[in-house]
Amino acid sequence: MKRIPMITATLVLALVAVCLTTGCSNKRKLADPRSLKNDPQSLAVIINGIPVTWEAVDRRGRAFLQDEKTFNHLAFAPEKEAEALDHFRRRAVKIEVMRNLLLAEARQQRIVVTEQDRQTALARLAPLMARRNWTTNDFFTRSPLGPEQTHAEFEESLYIDKLLFEKVLRTVSATTDEIAAATAELARQRPDAKPKPAEIRQFVNRSKARQAVNAYYRKLVAGATIQCAFPDLVFEEVMAAE
């Protein structure tokens, strides 16, 4: 079955933005998401004892927000900016938990990345960057995190993608009965639709892959110790870019 690039594309979006954060009072303690004065070194989340600072989460949150404004034309009233930023900071925390847990699992499973894996990921990156009139080289050189950290996080994403392929996606495949059921359901919902069998197979495969990856991830979450500044966050899904 064709590999589905889930993590690389998501982390791409987390690496293109500006950094702005202030604060001064709760260094090395859990941050208060409602406060405008969190110390940059206060903690947004602790994953199996590994701390992630408010500064890092704020940087990613603002990255997502700026991307939405610039490339998806997100618009909102000025008084709604804090609410929007809160949403994207929460997404950033989920990204950090996902990165840490899956990368740790990749190391434990002794996942090996080849040069071919690297070149394949770069080829997948190209059309994502083309949407913003960037080259793959621009991705590394224009990231506000700097080339060194950007390269490091891109490399991490290769190990995570390889882990998910080796441990989950390699064995996912639509059965004849599942394809028949999906075809019948589509015919019921959209009688005028004329999808090709290959398209239905691809749809079922993607659905099964997403379910399998999320089930795998939930097991990692269940075995982890996570302390989060956003106590209502639930870590049930791998943050996959469509």
Side-chain angles (χ1 to χ4, degrees):
M1 128 178 212
K2 185 177 179 181
R3 287 182 61 178
I4 302 173
M6 290 191 171
I7 304 305
T8 303
T10 301
L11 296 184
V12 163
L13 301 179
L15 292 172
V16 281
V18 296
C19 175
L20 179 62
T21 185
T22 59
C24 62
S25 63
N26 52 353
K27 185 176 181 179
R28 309 312 296 174
K29 299 178 182 179
L30 282 179
D32 179 357
R34 300 164 297 179
S35 174
L36 299 178
K37 297 182 179 181
N38 283 310
D39 189 284
Q41 295 305 306
S42 61
L43 305 179
V45 64
I46 307 170
I47 308 132
N48 288 334
I50 299 174
V52 178
T53 65
W54 183 256
E55 179 181 28
V57 161
D58 185 64
R59 182 188 306 128
R60 291 194 189 280
R62 291 179 187 276
F64 288 129
L65 179 59
Q66 187 60 45
D67 268 4
E68 290 295 323
K69 288 180 177 179
T70 303
F71 298 103
N72 295 326
H73 310 293
L74 176 68
F76 46 80
E79 64 270 19
K80 293 293 185 179
E81 179 155 0
E83 181 180 337
L85 184 55
D86 180 76
H87 168 79
F88 288 112
R89 282 171 175 157
R90 288 167 175 267
R91 178 174 171 83
V93 169
K94 290 186 176 183
I95 290 288
E96 292 288 356
V97 172
M98 178 194 76
R99 285 179 58 248
N100 276 273
L101 291 184
L102 290 175
L103 186 60
E105 184 67 10
R107 289 169 178 156
Q108 183 172 330
Q109 296 294 335
R110 301 183 185 276
I111 296 298
V112 176
V113 168
T114 67
E115 183 58 28
Q116 181 59 53
D117 295 325
R118 197 167 286 107
Q119 293 305 315
T120 298
L122 286 171
R124 290 176 179 147
L125 178 61
L128 290 171
M129 292 298 96
R131 297 175 189 173
R132 61 185 71 211
N133 295 318
W134 283 13
T135 65
T136 53
N137 188 59
D138 289 330
F139 166 66
F140 295 105
T141 61
R142 296 175 67 175
S143 168
L145 300 184
E148 184 176 355
Q149 184 173 345
T150 305
H151 274 286
E153 293 200 7
F154 176 77
E155 193 75 10
E156 288 178 357
S157 74
L158 303 180
Y159 284 87
I160 294 172
D161 275 346
K162 191 75 172 281
L163 168 74
L164 294 178
F165 176 68
E166 294 288 345
K167 300 301 179 181
V168 183
L169 298 176
R170 183 191 291 278
T171 60
V172 173
S173 181
T175 67
T176 301
D177 288 344
E178 289 169 337
I179 294 173
T183 302
E185 180 62 18
L186 181 62
R188 185 185 69 81
Q189 294 182 1
R190 298 172 54 193
D192 297 332
K194 303 295 181 182
K196 297 178 181 179
E199 293 173 337
I200 296 178
R201 177 180 292 276
Q202 183 181 50
F203 171 79
V204 175
N205 278 337
R206 286 181 64 86
S207 178
K208 290 188 68 176
R210 186 177 295 109
Q211 293 173 17
V213 165
N214 286 336
Y216 182 83
Y217 180 56
R218 283 193 291 271
K219 289 182 180 179
L220 296 182
V221 171
T225 300
I226 301 172
Q227 298 171 266
C228 185
F230 299 89
D232 59 329
L233 276 189
V234 178
F235 306 101
E236 291 190 339
E237 295 183 348
V238 168
M239 304 297 289
E242 296 296 334

